[in-house]
Amino acid sequence: MKFTKMHGCGNDYVYVNCFEEKVDDPAALSIQVSDRHFGIGSDGLILIGPSDKADFMMDIYNADGSRAEMCGNGIRCAAKYFYDHGLTDKTSVSAETLSGIKYLELTVENGKVSKVRVNMGEPVLAPAQIPVAAEGETVVNSPIVADGKEYRMTCVCMGNPHAVVFVDDVKNLKLEQIGPKFENHPMFPKRINTEFAELIDSTHLRMRVWERGSGETLACGTGTCATVVAAILNGLTQRNVTVHLLGGDLEIFWNPDDNCVYMTGPATTVFDGEY
């Protein structure tokens, strides 16, 4: 099986071109290739294939074999793969995902895609649709007890579920201890991705993420979008925000005109190989 290793701000995936390759058991394959000691090493597996609804289809599997609805960093790299490998010559493309069709604008330099702007769609705030076991129309600055401590969380769905917690010092947070407590908390029937964010100023945030099924990753596109939405809902930032992640920076804009969140960031090819 031929593959390409790619990353968006350090959030790395193994990409397989299913226009040419056939994958019979993607969940098992994702577990194998994601292993950083015995496999290729990644946060998961992404399959790129044909779609009758969009320019291409993107199917995402986490490192533990579970299926993900959407991945912001992953979709930027998928669009780069689609263009760089000659599957399209368009710089405006659409991708079918489990959370709907996403629209992407590609920046091309020297014949290769360098960065991608993604319309991530409208944030979903209704608890039942995120899902989170909570009453009311939204979950904004609401209490949750995890690992014996009370936190305040804001929950947002950006195609997949997120709980955003604002902290004073994200760098020294013991994420490997706290993250699993949130991910498997009984309030979240489908588990949860958890973002811990530190406010720098009204246009800058610093963030770390514990991803459902993968643990801490260097970046999370949907999580970054959710974090900015949460910051705006809590009156902390403006609508244009640069978020500093362990793997790099993402630019997020929550457009008041169409209520959609737009994410702009890099997409990088690491290497091609055969597994």
Side-chain angles (χ1 to χ4, degrees), residues 85-105:
H85 286 254
L87 298 171
T88 186
D89 58 1
K90 299 189 298 183
T91 56
S92 296
V93 298
S94 58
E96 179 186 354
T97 73
L98 285 183
S99 67
I101 297 174
K102 306 300 178 185
Y103 298 91
L104 307 99
E105 298 294 328

Side-chain angles (χ1 to χ4, degrees), residues 9 195-198 200 203-208 219-221 223-229 231 237 240-253 264:
C9 292
E195 287 73 36
F196 295 88
E198 175 185 342
I200 300 173
T203 57
H204 293 83
L205 293 166
R206 184 175 291 112
M207 189 192 96
R208 289 171 67 191
C220 175
T224 306
C225 293
T227 297
V228 171
V229 169
T237 65
N240 261 312
V241 181
T242 299
V243 182
H244 304 293
L245 305 149
L246 294 180
D249 295 347
L250 290 175
E251 298 171 20
I252 310 297
F253 173 51
T264 303

Side-chain angles (χ1 to χ4, degrees), residues 3-248:
F3 71 89
T4 298
K5 172 85 174 278
M6 307 180 79
H7 78 84
C9 292
N11 191 192
D12 59 340
Y13 288 88
V14 171
Y15 290 78
V16 176
N17 179 357
C18 289
F19 287 91
E20 299 176 356
E21 304 278 356
K22 184 181 179 183
V23 177
D24 292 323
D25 190 347
L29 181 63
S30 184
I31 294 171
Q32 293 170 18
V33 300
S34 298
D35 193 295
R36 297 189 183 276
H37 299 287
F38 299 103
I40 298 166
S42 68
D43 292 323
L45 171 72
I46 291 181
L47 309 178
I48 300 172
S51 167
D52 57 5
K53 302 176 182 177
D55 291 314
F56 67 94
M57 173 276 299
M58 180 181 78
D59 202 6
I60 314 154
Y61 291 83
N62 296 314
D64 68 351
S66 59
R67 203 174 186 189
E69 299 92 340
M70 175 58 187
C71 174
N73 292 310
I75 200 170
R76 294 200 315 275
C77 291
K80 175 179 172 62
Y81 185 103
F82 194 59
Y83 183 94
D84 288 3
H85 286 254
L87 298 171
T88 186
D89 58 1
K90 299 189 298 183
T91 56
S92 296
V93 298
S94 58
E96 179 186 354
T97 73
L98 285 183
S99 67
I101 297 174
K102 306 300 178 185
Y103 298 91
L104 307 99
E105 298 294 328
L106 316 181
T107 298
V108 178
E109 298 178 6
N110 300 317
K112 302 289 185 182
V113 172
S114 59
K115 67 178 180 180
V116 179
R117 184 175 191 254
V118 189
N119 181 344
M120 299 288 284
E122 297 186 40
V124 174
L125 304 176
Q129 296 177 46
I130 292 173
V132 52
E135 297 180 353
E137 295 183 359
T138 62
V139 181
V140 176
N141 196 33
S142 297
I144 181 174
V145 177
D147 200 29
K149 180 180 177 181
E150 182 175 293
Y151 297 86
R152 311 294 293 193
M153 68 174 180
T154 298
C155 293
V156 181
C157 179
M158 289 300 311
N160 51 5
H162 296 272
V164 181
V165 177
F166 292 97
V167 296
D168 294 330
D169 179 13
V170 73
K171 181 180 178 181
N172 294 307
L173 191 72
K174 294 181 180 178
L175 191 55
E176 69 282 351
Q177 176 183 328
I178 302 169
K181 303 294 184 181
F182 273 85
E183 178 181 355
N184 300 294
H185 197 283
M187 286 190 72
F188 308 113
K190 292 186 177 180
R191 297 188 293 167
I192 198 77
N193 302 285
T194 312
E195 287 73 36
F196 295 88
E198 175 185 342
L199 179 67
I200 300 173
D201 56 40
S202 64
T203 57
H204 293 83
L205 293 166
R206 184 175 291 112
M207 189 192 96
R208 289 171 67 191
V209 57
W210 184 269
E211 285 203 54
R212 174 185 61 170
S214 293
E216 183 172 18
T217 58
L218 297 182
C220 175
T222 55
T224 306
C225 293
T227 297
V228 171
V229 169
I232 294 167
L233 291 174
N234 283 279
L236 300 176
T237 65
Q238 300 177 23
R239 285 184 173 264
N240 261 312
V241 181
T242 299
V243 182
H244 304 293
L245 305 149
L246 294 180

